[in-house]
Amino acid sequence: MEKGKVKGIYEDVIMAGFGGQGLMFIGKLLAYSAMKESKHVTWIPSYGPEMRGGTANCTVVVSDEEIGSPVIPRPRAVIVMNNPSLEAFEPRLQSEGLLLANSSFVTRSTTRKDIRATFIPANEIASKVGNEKAANMVMLGAYVACTGIVSKESINKGLEELFGAKREFLAANMLAFEEGVKFVKEKCPKTK
Amino acid sequence: MEKGKVKGIYEDVIMAGFGGQGLMFIGKLLAYSAMKESKHVTWIPSYGPEMRGGTANCTVVVSDEEIGSPVIPRPRAVIVMNNPSLEAFEPRLQSEGLLLANSSFVTRSTTRKDIRATFIPANEIASKVGNEKAANMVMLGAYVACTGIVSKESINKGLEELFGAKREFLAANMLAFEEGVKFVKEKCPKTK
Amino acid sequence: MTGKIAINEDFCKGCALCVNACPQKLLKTAKHVSKTSYHPAEFVDPEGKCTGCGLCALVCPDVAIQVFRDRKAGGEKK
Amino acid sequence: MTGKIAINEDFCKGCALCVNACPQKLLKTAKHVSKTSYHPAEFVDPEGKCTGCGLCALVCPDVAIQVFRDRKAGGEKK
Amino acid sequence: MTEKRFMAGNEAIAEAAIQAGCRFYFGYPITPQNEICEYMSMRLPEVGGTFLQAESEVAAIYMTFGAAGAGARVMTSSSSPGISLMQEGISYIAAAELPCVIVNMMRGGPGLGGIHPSQADYFQATKGGGHGDYHLLVLAPHTAQEAVNLTMLAFDLADKYRNPVMILGDGNMGQMMEPVEFPPPPKTEFSKKGWILDGARNRPRRLIKTLYLDPPVLEKRNLAIASKLSEAVKNEVRFESFMVDDADIVIGAYGTVARIAKTAIKILREKGVKVGLLRPISLFPFPYQQFAKVAESGKKILVVEMSLGQMVQDVQLAVCGKTKVNFYSRVGGVVPGYDEILREVEKVVKESG
Amino acid sequence: MTEKRFMAGNEAIAEAAIQAGCRFYFGYPITPQNEICEYMSMRLPEVGGTFLQAESEVAAIYMTFGAAGAGARVMTSSSSPGISLMQEGISYIAAAELPCVIVNMMRGGPGLGGIHPSQADYFQATKGGGHGDYHLLVLAPHTAQEAVNLTMLAFDLADKYRNPVMILGDGNMGQMMEPVEFPPPPKTEFSKKGWILDGARNRPRRLIKTLYLDPPVLEKRNLAIASKLSEAVKNEVRFESFMVDDADIVIGAYGTVARIAKTAIKILREKGVKVGLLRPISLFPFPYQQFAKVAESGKKILVVEMSLGQMVQDVQLAVCGKTKVNFYSRVGGVVPGYDEILREVEKVVKESG
Amino acid sequence: MEVVYERPRSLFPVATHYCPGCGHGIIHRLVAEVIDELEIREKTVAVAPVGCAVLLYNYLNVDCYEAAHGRAPAIATGCKRVHPHLVVFTYQGDGDFAAIGTAEAIHVAARGEKITTIFVNNAIYGMTAGQMAPTTLIGQKSTTTPAGRKPETAGFPVRMCEIVATLPGAAYVARVSVSSPKNVVQAKKAIKKAFETQVRGLGYSLVEVLSQCPTNWHMTPFESVKWVDEKMALYYPLGEFKVPKEG
Amino acid sequence: MEVVYERPRSLFPVATHYCPGCGHGIIHRLVAEVIDELEIREKTVAVAPVGCAVLLYNYLNVDCYEAAHGRAPAIATGCKRVHPHLVVFTYQGDGDFAAIGTAEAIHVAARGEKITTIFVNNAIYGMTAGQMAPTTLIGQKSTTTPAGRKPETAGFPVRMCEIVATLPGAAYVARVSVSSPKNVVQAKKAIKKAFETQVRGLGYSLVEVLSQCPTNWHMTPFESVKWVDEKMALYYPLGEFKVPKEG
Ligand SMILES: Cc1ncc(C[n+]2csc(CCOP(=O)(O)OP(=O)(O)O)c2C)c(N)n1
Ligand SMILES: Cc1ncc(C[n+]2csc(CCOP(=O)(O)OP(=O)(O)O)c2C)c(N)n1
Ligand code: SF4
Ligand code: SF4
Ligand code: SF4
Ligand code: SF4
């Protein structure tokens, strides 16, 4: 929903990328973690054959009120993990909206001036901390850092509960998550 | 339709009996013959599994106007060829209506006083002229004699055209038909 | 071995399958018409030739035939 | 008998069935990612061992392989 | 004038189809429309056509799909349960925009029900028993002659709108024999050349499909079909207005019930009751305007159906509260007699003072 | 309060069914409801139930028939084309008065269409896509939690009225994950002892049938079913009235569209536009009276659907011309955004001055 | 004298609606006898077809479903899964089992569903008055093959036993006829084996019964049983196609 | 050097939507090659199934219908009856041909309809993402048999060739696979024979192709072709089940 249109806690985000980049995963994780904080949440995936091989996306809404539309025509934030996703969702981002792009795959810059865009070399970062597969967690860390919509603890618990995450997996993912937080804090000091 | 309710030529009749007694046949013949006299006609059978073994009936309407209802709740005339049919249709006959019963099979008399009932030993009559199977034609002859709704010639032509009747078959049936006419003329002189 | 049969006219439809099945030729189609307006099968065994073999009953589609047999025949119930 | 093959990277999905099919082991999965974001098959035949047998093409689900053979080999078109 | 033939409604429909150029029929037996099947099996080979008894109604409707896509004039027929089985296929045919004629000789339902006349498949026929937004064009004859004429028309409408057309009758309509004539069918020719599948010789290949995974594309397709149908709504409303002009009460009825109502009207008129009949011939498109006009002129309405109340909803939509819509019905295979209708009209007269 | 679980609508429905005592599920895969199938295949064996993947939707609905007749709580599910294939069976189940729950997660149609959300099977669900006079009870949840509650309710209603109940959702509803709780299901017990088939031990044998060849007998059956349904019409109307009281404009919408409308309403309210939502929860019986009341109080109505106009007819029937019924729709799998609904409301505001 | 043959108890003492000479009557009787002999009446559920035998339940004194055309196996499956201890059987004509219900027929066998099917093959559609069945013989006349069935347009008759026997889930598959006392005895044996197969939980059992339809064959009952022997049994050989491994 | 192998002309030069290693691609190619070799492209009509191959028409340059799930044989019949001179074939998955479309599959063969079916048996529902197919092997995991297919509840896999071969209307019936170069060569031969059978008007022809679905089997493409050879081909023996009498 558009900024300033409602009071209280409210965030929505579309996450998009190749199938296999773990977008669905971090979307669910975000929603679940927020739910554990007693917030209202919805998670809605794109579905169908286009997921196979092609790109996939999901939309997460978090609010302290009952959620109306789980479908977001003009999202407040967008996380994109590849070029086609940038093409698809950059135009839909609302003014002042947050664009988080994984620059390990997204090769062009944004053309919009009215948004807050951050390009994050998520795969490189994730590699550096030992697990390239956790690039998605880097992006989630960045998103959570920018919005503050859930706590790190909730994410940690979410990983454990929702995905029955094994100890090492948990640690590796949380490490990546924190790198994402760090990246944002360092590069975009404006963020709360 | 009820007597006196419409002007012009109009007759309706329900014919009922065992499957195999040739009721459908004479019904079609009557309708076809009347059609050939440029009258409007409808013929409608009872249909479905009850026809197998059980009783069957058909309704014929002849008129010089377009025919509305082909289904006749209270018929002007009823031809019954067995007891169940008498039970079924005697009560439905309208006041002053014509009941023609084949007394070779119908074993009880009518209980109604307000109708014109004639009991015709059609099988015996047909046997006498050499073809018991033509009992139906005896009944048709009686009906035509009572109502004058079609000419004998039309019936003759109808038999030929509709059923491609062979010469002998034709003759035998017309003979039975005439016996039916005769029976009525003799026994019920009131009939026109 | 002697036997006899009873035909239930309420059920018989006069199909005559029993007539053809009886090895002793003891069944025939009756002249009269039953209540259900069929010509039923008729058991005619003046000479007591019926063995109670039950073949008529075996082929009767209308289960109209009851078969009796002399005790000494000792035939199992079919 | 000598031959060679050409792999169309627009079609190849990197399934590696050809890699397994090549009797001369001349195919391998490339390090690089194609436009369609697969690691395509790569034809590596420095010693010219390819016979143009076409087995790789036979099993390729994406019709990504074109096979050439020396004229003198005179092999029929498959 | 052609010669009159004495035919049952089912046979008349079959013969009319053949005279309209139908050369392919796929069907599965079911009472009370077996005579269509049987007549086709006898007649089609005579005219070089193909009769095929399908293994089921599901197969029959898709054989119809195949033949229609191949460019043939094709028909199938069934009765209520069989038509229910065809709902997926009907939706597909409408989606693929293939012309064909489907006959439903309705019988009592739901379930196996009975084999006697019914009109309880009205909603299924007119609102879409299958999934998705589509509509059949639905024609409801009330005499055998009209069955002939409407069957011929049905093939033309199917071609004109590339849409399946349903002939909606009932057991009575199918079994009843009446004199019929076969006028030469309208010589309308609709070019099918542009879309039929007959081998991609000297032309780009063609496709008949209904899958559009991209929602905006499917939406466009849906809207295109809708706009085509709205053309039909404009052009193809058919009805009979029988003694309506001076009537105080107008009976709304179609098919068998309508002709029974005519008898009631004749009798009532002789009694001095001013009653008429507005008879929808096309059930889709429905003559909403005509009913609206009736309502606006202050006439009372009595809808009579062999269903628990289906067409009456369309009548209500049409009159929009402007007059009272009375309703009378018999169901389960019971055909209302003209005497019942007569009584109902008199009730309405009394109630309205 | 039970613990919140984070579940997709499809899974929530499946789990709710199980918690409501459903131990038998027969179905055939189709997007976008495969998760119901899959969840059932995993969970039912855990609770001693039976999951069976049928060879088709036709078989699935008749397996459901068989299990319902045997006295079990049973469910099947599918999406639009599959539901079309079930129409004959649904008519039979209604005719045989067997309780069961049928889920339709609607997708774009007609034909194969697409797999994205749609509401174009409204007529099929509410007016009867099968033959004969019958009605499903139809419930349309708009959140996963409501899907849970209505699924549990559905089993009770099915038993109470001995009638099939349909849960009508769409792809969004099925795929979307939300927190849900599973309240203990209502402890309503409906004695099935009197009619189920489980072997004629120490009692006269029983019959489950739908054939009544004698029209008057079938008519009686039809009327009995109708009178039972009219009870449901009296008792089971469910709806949500959201900010309707002081509204000038009332949106009529159900399911996914309704929740999207709620967002539009929140935004509009902040802008000072007095708009509300009347959300039918039961589509059959339809909240006619509630819409009539809205109309009588002079509010404008805007119906929004993912169909080319189906529920809007019921709204029109309800308001009977007493207010203008505006209509907005997206079809083919396109989900209307709250921004579009917002725009439409503003248009209505402008038009009505 | 002792009664050596009388009406089986599971059969209501009523006249049937079948035509004179129709095989359905014999087959009903055999099923009833088997039910009586196995003493399973109180745990038997019958599923009647759509076809001439739709009124089966007027004759058999057991719990009964009336199915939709062709769907009896699906209904039987639903019932059996709920009550595995019951004996569930379908009774189906050739239109029902071999045309509209082909998929249900194949798959109930493929699943090895523990039910029994009595499949009455009379080479015609009886109830709808004489249309071609999938089992109608080449050359045979019907109301939809007025010139006799031609394989070029109407295809070949389907042999269901041969098909079902290919499926591992089918435990007992046999074809019998009721055209003569000897065949009736055989038929009963097969029906009994089929029910026993189910009771023993071995899998699906199918008995195809060649059955005369004098009415729609336009023959006398006697001509019709001869036609079963002389024509039908040639194309549809009698015998057991599959028997449970353990005896 | 001469081109000894290249893309068949009847195949559009586009990438497919199939997963890496999927057998559909190979089978499409073989069909296209046969169409090219028989020079019948301009008189061929394909009927695409509902299943992963629903988009067949994006690849094959011939007139195409897209059928409803399981109904391709009925549509093909409608088309072929209108245009007997055309070559009409259906391309169907195992859900399409052996589950929902069983009746249509059996009866198109029973009628001896002069069409060809390419039946792609990948033992799973591909398009809907991995549910059990009628051909799923015992023990095989799928999303609706999470613990592996158990015959007691989910029944036994269906062998369509064996069934169809019992029908007189079927002229050519063969099972092949595309798991190795050798098998691909065999597969093509069978497909060619099948089309020739149709062209020569001999009856119905069916080629069942065992095909790998790496995605839903959760295997690499190479593992999946090995699984075809080592598991599937055991239950589904390769070979010709019926060949036309005259050669
Ligand atoms: C869906 C559906 N289609 C068709 C029918 C009509 N119908 C009733 S019985 C029957 C076939 C009867 O033949 P068969 O199964 O061989 O049994 P029989 O009557 O010969 O014993 C048909 C086609 C129906 N009731 N329902
Ligand atoms: C009537 C209907 N039921 C179900 C579906 C969903 N559906 C689409 S494809 C498919 C099965 C696909 O499996 P298969 O036929 O084996 O082909 P594959 O995708 O494996 O190639 C199903 C069940 C549908 N589209 N229509
Ligand atoms: S077999 Fe039975 S029904 Fe037929 S004639 Fe003999 S006793 Fe009567
Ligand atoms: S077989 Fe084909 S698609 Fe697969 S890797 Fe080799 S060239 Fe690429
Ligand atoms: S029509 Fe045939 S099958 Fe039906 S009852 Fe008569 S003889 Fe028997
Ligand atoms: S899911 Fe399986 S069958 Fe479908 S494209 Fe992928 S590999 Fe092929």
Side-chain angles (χ1 to χ4, degrees), chain D residues 5-8 11-19 27-29 39-42 56-57 59-65, chain H residues 20-21 221:
Chain D
I5 66 166
I7 296 169
N8 183 336
F11 293 167
C12 174
K13 297 192 188 115
C15 72
L17 288 177
C18 56
V19 174
L27 285 130
K28 64 183 186 78
T29 299
H39 294 280
E42 217 167 22
C56 54
V59 299
C60 174
D62 290 283
V63 208
I65 302 180

Side-chain angles (χ1 to χ4, degrees), chain E residues 24 26 50-56 58-72 88-89 92 98 196-213, chain H residues 12 41-46 50 54-69 71 73-79 81-83 85-86 100 103-105 107-108 111 113 127:
Chain E
F24 292 86
F26 304 94
T50 293
F51 163 85
L52 185 53
Q53 185 176 316
E55 59 270 31
S56 71
V58 174
I61 193 72
Y62 284 106
M63 289 174 183
T64 301
F65 181 115
E88 187 206 30
Y92 268 78
L98 297 178
I196 69 167
L197 304 194
D198 55 358
R201 178 183 299 278
N202 302 322
R203 60 161 174 80
R205 69 73 185 261
R206 294 177 185 147
L207 271 185
I208 290 179
K209 60 170 266 184
T210 68
L211 177 72
Y212 298 90
L213 278 170
Chain H
F12 288 119
R41 194 194 66 81
E42 296 186 337
K43 57 175 198 169
T44 294
V45 172
V50 175
V54 63
L55 298 177
L56 174 83
Y57 43 76
N58 285 352
Y59 314 124
L60 269 187
N61 184 9
V62 297
D63 274 8
C64 285
Y65 290 89
E66 175 197 273
H69 193 29
R71 317 307 172 191
I75 290 176
T77 297
C79 179
R81 294 289 177 124
V82 174
H83 300 303
H85 65 286
L86 294 183
I100 194 170
E104 286 77 7
H107 285 278
V108 74
R111 282 194 305 273
E113 212 65 60
M127 192 195 209

Side-chain angles (χ1 to χ4, degrees), chain A residues 1 17 36 38 85 93 99 125 135 140 142-143 168 175 181 187:
Chain A
M1 227 187 308
K36 283 294 172 181
S38 293
S85 301
L93 193 60
L99 173 71
I125 294 175
L140 181 63
Y143 175 75
E168 306 140 65
L175 206 60
V181 175
K187 305 281 151 153

Side-chain angles (χ1 to χ4, degrees), chain F residues 24 52 55 58-59 62-63 65-67 69-70 72 92 197-201 203 205-211, chain G residues 12 41-42 54 57 60-66 68 71 74-75 77-79 81-83 86 103-104 107 111:
Chain F
F24 292 86
L52 184 53
E55 59 269 31
V58 173
Y62 284 106
M63 289 173 182
F65 182 115
Y92 268 79
L197 303 194
D198 56 358
R201 177 183 299 280
R203 60 161 172 80
R205 68 76 185 261
R206 294 177 186 147
L207 272 185
I208 291 179
K209 59 170 265 181
T210 68
L211 176 71
Chain G
F12 288 119
R41 194 193 68 79
E42 295 187 338
V54 62
Y57 42 76
L60 269 186
N61 184 10
V62 298
D63 275 7
C64 285
Y65 290 89
E66 175 199 273
R71 316 307 172 191
I75 290 176
T77 297
C79 179
R81 294 288 177 124
V82 175
H83 301 302
L86 294 184
E104 286 77 8
H107 285 278
R111 282 194 304 273

Side-chain angles (χ1 to χ4, degrees), chain C residues 13 57-58 60-61 67-69, chain G residues 2 4-5 16 18 25 29 222:
Chain C
K13 297 193 189 114
L58 266 180
C60 175
V67 184
F68 305 85
R69 206 184 295 156
Chain G
E2 192 185 20
V4 290
Y5 182 77
T16 69
Y18 298 111
R29 193 191 75 217
F222 185 59

Side-chain angles (χ1 to χ4, degrees), chain B residues 1 5 43 47 68-69, chain E residues 115 177 259 263 266 270 338:
Chain B
M1 229 187 306
K5 289 290 157 70
W43 172 90
Y47 60 90
S69 181
Chain E
I115 56 174
M177 293 184 85
R259 69 182 291 168
T263 295
K266 270 192 204 162
E270 306 224 352
Y338 55 79

Side-chain angles (χ1 to χ4, degrees), chain H:
Chain H
M1 278 203 270
E2 192 185 23
V3 174
V4 290
Y5 181 78
E6 64 183 344
R7 207 175 175 80
R9 277 162 294 135
S10 298
L11 217 52
F12 288 119
V14 294
T16 70
H17 71 292
Y18 298 112
C19 307
C22 171
H24 277 302
I26 307 178
I27 302 163
H28 281 26
R29 193 191 76 218
L30 297 181
V31 170
E33 288 176 4
V34 166
I35 288 172
D36 284 358
E37 289 170 22
L38 297 178
E39 299 185 334
I40 53 173
R41 194 194 66 81
E42 296 186 337
K43 57 175 198 169
T44 294
V45 172
V47 187
V50 175
C52 280
V54 63
L55 298 177
L56 174 83
Y57 43 76
N58 285 352
Y59 314 124
L60 269 187
N61 184 9
V62 297
D63 274 8
C64 285
Y65 290 89
E66 175 197 273
H69 193 29
R71 317 307 172 191
I75 290 176
T77 297
C79 179
K80 183 80 182 194
R81 294 289 177 124
V82 174
H83 300 303
H85 65 286
L86 294 183
V87 176
V88 181
F89 77 98
T90 69
Y91 185 108
Q92 306 182 250
D94 39 43
D96 208 71
F97 189 72
I100 194 170
T102 308
E104 286 77 7
I106 301 288
H107 285 278
V108 74
R111 282 194 305 273
E113 212 65 60
K114 289 167 192 69
I115 70 156
T116 299
T117 293
I118 307 300
F119 163 43
V120 180
N121 177 357
N122 60 8
I124 202 95
Y125 284 11
M127 192 195 209
T128 44
Q131 297 80 11
M132 182 188 83
T135 51
T136 293
L137 295 183
I138 297 302
Q140 187 184 338
K141 283 188 186 173
S142 75
T143 58
T144 50
T145 54
R149 181 177 190 167
K150 295 203 186 82
E152 309 83 57
T153 50
F156 296 89
V158 174
R159 297 184 184 99
M160 289 304 283
C161 281
E162 284 79 344
I163 290 178
V164 170
T166 69
L167 298 163
Y172 181 74
V173 179
R175 185 183 287 121
V176 296
S177 88
V178 289
S179 57
S180 68
K182 187 181 121 245
N183 285 336
V184 170
V185 170
Q186 284 302 328
K188 179 162 164 197
K189 274 193 197 144
I191 292 172
K192 195 161 183 179
K193 271 199 201 173
F195 275 89
E196 283 167 347
T197 299
Q198 178 177 174
V199 169
R200 290 165 59 206
L202 303 178
Y204 176 71
S205 48
L206 167 67
V207 180
E208 174 173 342
V209 189
L210 306 186
S211 175
Q212 59 276 12
C213 174
T215 299
N216 288 302
W217 296 354
H218 304 289
M219 295 180 189
T220 67
F222 183 61
E223 287 165 353
S224 72
V225 292
K226 272 193 357 206
W227 198 79
V228 169
D229 288 342
E230 292 168 11
K231 293 282 161 66
M232 279 189 86
L234 287 191
Y235 191 84
Y236 300 109
L238 305 186
E240 291 183 326
F241 293 83
K242 206 163 183 184
V243 290
K245 283 196 193 92
E246 328 105 283

